[in-house]
Amino acid sequence: MRLARAAIAASALLALAACGSLPERGHASDGDTASVALADATALDDPRSYTGPTHAGLGELAIEPVAEDVEPQLPVTVTDSQGTKVTVTDASRILALDVYGTLSQTVFELGLGDRVVGRDVSTQFAEAQDLPLVTSTGHDLSAEKILELNPSVILTDTSLGPWDVVLQMRDAGIPVVVVDGERGLDNIDDLTHEVAEALGVPEPGQALAERTQAEVDEVRAEIAKVAPATTQGKLRAAFLYVRGNAGIYYMFGEGSGADGLIDALGLYDVAGEIGWKGMKPVNDEGIVAAQPELLILMTKGLESAGGVDGLLERLPALAQTPAGQNRRIVDMDDAFVLGYGPRTADVLNSLAVAVYAPESVEGAE
């Protein structure tokens, strides 16, 4: 099941990247939840009573390594997610690459940031800003740029392409560890351990996994305090992937990673109700049948459609749903909303504030 879900996610993301539709990180829109903790926010008496869009911001990412002066214990031999045995003998020049920037952040949080020699376009936190890009246009890997950096090990998944570039790196003698491409709340620990073990730092990996889980548990406990307890009380929600300039409109369903996010936020996943699996182009019948009361979108996707007004114009069926009628749309930075890494707790907190306490956001309608 996990490999099937990863394949669904990877194939959809690569297809979208191929048409130039996967963007860099987004920016704040009408409001910003970055500085608001759900525990300190004033929740709505009725989550259905609010109208208008809300931007779920994250602010600047502060890297907080779980350990200092980390020294990898090498060599190590691991069997990666594709069943390939890879021996890593040197972690002095690391490349960690995926469509969300999750792998590079994980390496930095493990205390190995000073060993990272390059970045993908989604890795944009301050500590990595001066690193050279190894993605050429959009999220396409550049073999030439990678080889120029002479990496001693590459960590990646199946979310970036062309895949021939990854194979070329192996042919060049560079150890390439392919980690699980699935992203979800149920495998954050696994992903952290995969990265840590491949780099010979299992103890910092355990510490990071425990810290991340504790932070997620804390936020989910706060969400449980404000989210309706009954199914009937939950907001009906859907996750839309939109690239208006490319005419792309997907609804994410079971196995996409968005289903776990919606559940963690205490929302009712309408995609599951209508049997929507994976990532598929949305149609009028599907969106009308779903009748969402709230939509979650990536920031750049919403911008590409011309904002809320443009989205409703491009997808007029949305106007027939409660979400469209109430303009109840929450957007979040493309690189983080489904990234599921060390910053997952921040993602959940920010989205929860946007859903349950939007009036706490400066600039809220």
Side-chain angles (χ1 to χ4, degrees):
M1 178 63 177
R2 171 162 290 177
L3 289 176
R5 290 177 63 185
I8 290 171
S11 61
L13 288 170
L14 283 173
L16 296 174
C19 64
S21 57
L22 281 172
E24 297 185 18
R25 290 176 56 184
H27 303 284
S29 56
D30 294 333
D32 197 329
T33 61
S35 61
V36 183
L38 182 60
D40 300 326
T42 301
L44 299 167
D45 292 332
D46 178 7
R48 289 188 171 89
S49 66
Y50 190 79
T51 61
T54 310
H55 175 69
L58 286 169
E60 291 297 321
L61 169 61
I63 296 294
E64 298 179 2
V66 293
E68 297 180 357
D69 301 321
V70 176
E71 190 63 38
Q73 303 301 303
L74 300 173
V76 296
T77 298
V78 297
T79 300
D80 72 9
S81 66
Q82 295 186 327
T84 303
K85 284 192 174 182
V86 183
T87 298
V88 179
T89 61
D90 182 358
S92 63
R93 300 183 62 79
I94 302 169
L95 279 179
L97 311 168
D98 72 327
V99 78
Y100 293 115
T102 299
L103 297 182
S104 58
Q105 186 190 343
T106 301
V107 173
F108 271 80
E109 299 285 7
L110 288 170
L112 298 174
D114 60 343
R115 296 166 179 259
V116 178
V117 295
R119 65 182 177 93
D120 51 52
V121 72
S122 295
T123 298
Q124 296 196 13
F125 47 85
E127 290 84 348
Q129 278 296 290
D130 293 334
L131 294 174
L133 281 169
V134 298
T135 44
S136 51
T137 57
H139 293 262
D140 290 338
L141 295 171
S142 167
E144 181 179 0
K145 292 179 179 180
I146 293 174
L147 291 173
E148 285 176 354
L149 296 176
N150 190 31
S152 60
V153 59
I154 297 174
L155 302 173
T156 190
D157 59 14
T158 53
S159 66
L160 295 178
W163 190 246
D164 285 348
V165 172
V166 177
L167 298 179
Q168 185 178 343
M169 296 306 102
R170 277 187 172 152
D171 290 342
I174 303 170
V176 177
V177 180
V178 181
V179 302
D180 192 351
E182 179 186 353
R183 295 288 184 272
L185 284 170
D186 60 347
N187 77 325
I188 298 174
D189 283 7
D190 293 341
L191 183 64
T192 302
H193 286 301
E194 282 185 80
V195 173
E197 289 170 9
L199 297 177
V201 290
E203 291 183 3
Q206 181 63 28
L208 179 58
E210 291 177 356
R211 186 182 77 180
T212 302
Q213 189 60 55
E215 292 171 346
V216 169
D217 289 345
E218 181 179 354
V219 173
R220 295 193 72 171
E222 292 298 329
I223 292 173
K225 294 177 183 178
V226 298
T230 65
T231 299
Q232 294 78 9
K234 296 179 185 293
L235 279 170
R236 296 173 60 83
F239 190 106
L240 296 187
Y241 183 96
V242 174
R243 290 296 175 264
N245 48 8
I248 293 174
Y249 305 95
Y250 277 59
M251 184 159 68
F252 284 15
E254 181 184 347
S256 67
D259 49 345
L261 183 71
I262 289 172
D263 179 68
L265 291 170
L267 305 170
Y268 180 79
D269 186 6
V270 297
E273 180 181 79
I274 62 175
W276 202 271
K277 298 183 184 298
M279 309 171 183
K280 297 189 296 184
V282 68
N283 53 49
D284 290 351
E285 293 78 13
I287 200 68
V288 171
Q291 284 293 295
E293 297 170 304
L294 180 140
L295 300 173
I296 301 175
L297 278 78
M298 295 180 179
T299 299
K300 283 293 185 181
L302 184 58
E303 291 175 357
S304 74
V308 176
D309 291 336
L311 180 65
L312 294 176
E313 182 178 346
R314 291 169 183 262
L315 287 178
L318 281 178
Q320 302 177 41
T321 70
Q325 293 165 0
N326 295 321
R327 300 166 60 85
R328 194 72 162 96
I329 293 174
V330 173
D331 71 281
M332 175 174 271
D333 190 311
D334 305 51
F336 284 108
V337 65
L338 294 178
Y340 292 112
R343 215 177 184 194
T344 300
D346 291 339
V347 169
L348 291 177
N349 176 82
S350 186
L351 287 170
V353 170
V355 171
Y356 298 110
E359 293 176 342
S360 300
V361 180
E362 183 179 353
E365 292 187 358

